[in-house]
Amino acid sequence: MRKKLIAGNWKMNGTVASVRELTKALSQHSHEYNHLEMVVFPSFVFLPQVIADLKSSPISVGAQTLSEYAQGAYTGEVEGSMLKDVGCSMVLVGHSERRTLFHESSDTVAKKFMCAQGAGLRPVLCVGETLVEREAGSMPSVVLGQLDAVIHLAGIDSFMNAVIAYEPVWAIGTGRTATPEQAQEVHALIRRHLAKLNPTVAAKCQILYGGSVKPDNAVHLFAKPDIDGALIGGASLKAVDFLGICGGAVSV
Ligand code: PGA
């Protein structure tokens, strides 16, 4: 029913040459994973290049963030309709690095989510708790609070055309992955929360896991019923690892 979605968040990495090499390697093998959805999120400056280089592959392209404002005098910002215009189909919103390092509040994230959908982009809403929050027992309130901020502004039906990524902050870039059981518990919590408001949305919405996903742990995560794919940082910068994770998603 729900297609697996494998997403690569390239963060602030790459050069024209290294990005070209990566997209070339990905596009050569991506046809082997036709029944998955695949997407990569390069830096803004590489978007036109990556979109052109992946044109004949099944891999979609998205941006890592977008402005909460409509076109105008906002130096340094990029609007959703610009991303759509150059050929993006998705966009990350509320990644923990944006929330923490760039002080994006849940209200700002909700506005960005709305802007993304308004521009015809499918948002990937990232949610997740810190280690301190988990150890204090507040994981459910943090994760569902981040989700509710968007539901309140955009409405539950907006999740018919959105993706959620559960990324525990303590697992991002640390090599420390949530166990498949820990991840499944949170994914089920999120899905039950959606189901209370709209069971159809809950059944359709893809919920990805993110945080130190690698080819060797991906299969165990994907075997869980509510884990519909992965949002991959570090391992998405190596074609062999990204494709290895795609292979894992095909095998379950
Ligand atoms: P990681 O990053 O795979 O390097 O832990 C995941 C993410 O930040 O999306």
Side-chain angles (χ1 to χ4, degrees):
M1 27 155 225
R2 290 183 300 271
K3 256 193 182 178
K4 288 267 188 297
L5 170 58
I6 308 300
N9 175 9
W10 294 355
K11 308 195 180 183
M12 196 174 74
N13 289 294
T15 61
V16 167
S18 72
V19 164
R20 177 136 296 143
E21 206 175 306
L22 179 54
T23 42
K24 202 171 146 198
L26 291 178
S27 60
Q28 270 168 2
H29 296 281
S30 54
H31 294 281
E32 296 160 30
Y33 308 103
N34 260 341
H35 37 295
L36 298 177
E37 274 188 77
M38 289 170 285
V39 57
V40 292
F41 297 93
S43 289
F44 285 134
V45 288
F46 300 126
L47 285 172
Q49 171 190 336
V50 173
I51 289 163
D53 288 352
L54 292 179
K55 214 179 176 136
S56 54
S57 91
I59 304 175
S60 306
V61 182
Q64 297 171 12
T65 185
L66 80 167
S67 180
E68 69 195 276
Y69 301 109
Q71 203 162 119
Y74 298 101
T75 303
E77 291 288 276
V78 178
E79 193 200 18
S81 62
M82 295 172 176
L83 298 172
K84 182 75 183 172
D85 194 34
V86 298
C88 288
S89 54
M90 298 176 83
V91 63
L92 300 178
V93 293
H95 188 280
S96 68
E97 286 151 18
R98 302 288 326 164
R99 292 181 192 262
T100 311
L101 303 173
F102 303 100
H103 314 292
E104 285 187 13
S105 67
S106 282
D107 288 345
T108 302
V109 172
K111 280 186 204 150
K112 291 188 175 205
F113 182 100
M114 292 279 282
C115 287
Q117 288 199 327
L121 298 164
R122 183 150 65 120
V124 179
L125 171 66
C126 305
V127 297
E129 82 288 358
T130 63
L131 190 56
V132 173
E133 289 164 339
R134 172 164 281 256
E135 287 175 347
S138 44
M139 176 278 287
S141 62
V142 170
V143 168
L144 297 182
Q146 290 171 346
L147 184 56
D148 278 341
V150 178
I151 295 175
H152 287 147
L153 193 70
I156 183 67
D157 293 354
S158 66
F159 283 86
M160 272 315 258
N161 193 29
V163 176
I164 297 170
Y166 168 58
E167 299 202 302
V169 179
W170 46 273
I172 296 177
T174 58
R176 184 177 166 187
T177 329
T179 64
E181 291 70 29
Q182 280 174 322
Q184 165 59 26
E185 183 197 348
V186 186
H187 284 230
L189 175 79
I190 293 171
R191 206 180 300 284
R192 278 197 307 274
H193 191 70
L194 298 176
K196 275 188 251 159
L197 301 167
N198 185 328
T200 313
V201 168
K204 170 147 193 283
C205 187
Q206 289 156 313
I207 307 176
L208 313 183
Y209 169 78
S212 299
V213 177
K214 305 278 181 275
D216 57 355
N217 58 29
V219 188
H220 308 291
L221 290 158
F222 298 153
K224 295 293 178 189
D226 289 298
I227 301 181
D228 304 313
L231 179 56
I232 308 148
S236 71
L237 294 169
K238 287 196 199 120
V240 53
D241 286 351
F242 186 78
L243 294 168
I245 294 168
C246 292
V250 169
S251 72
V252 288

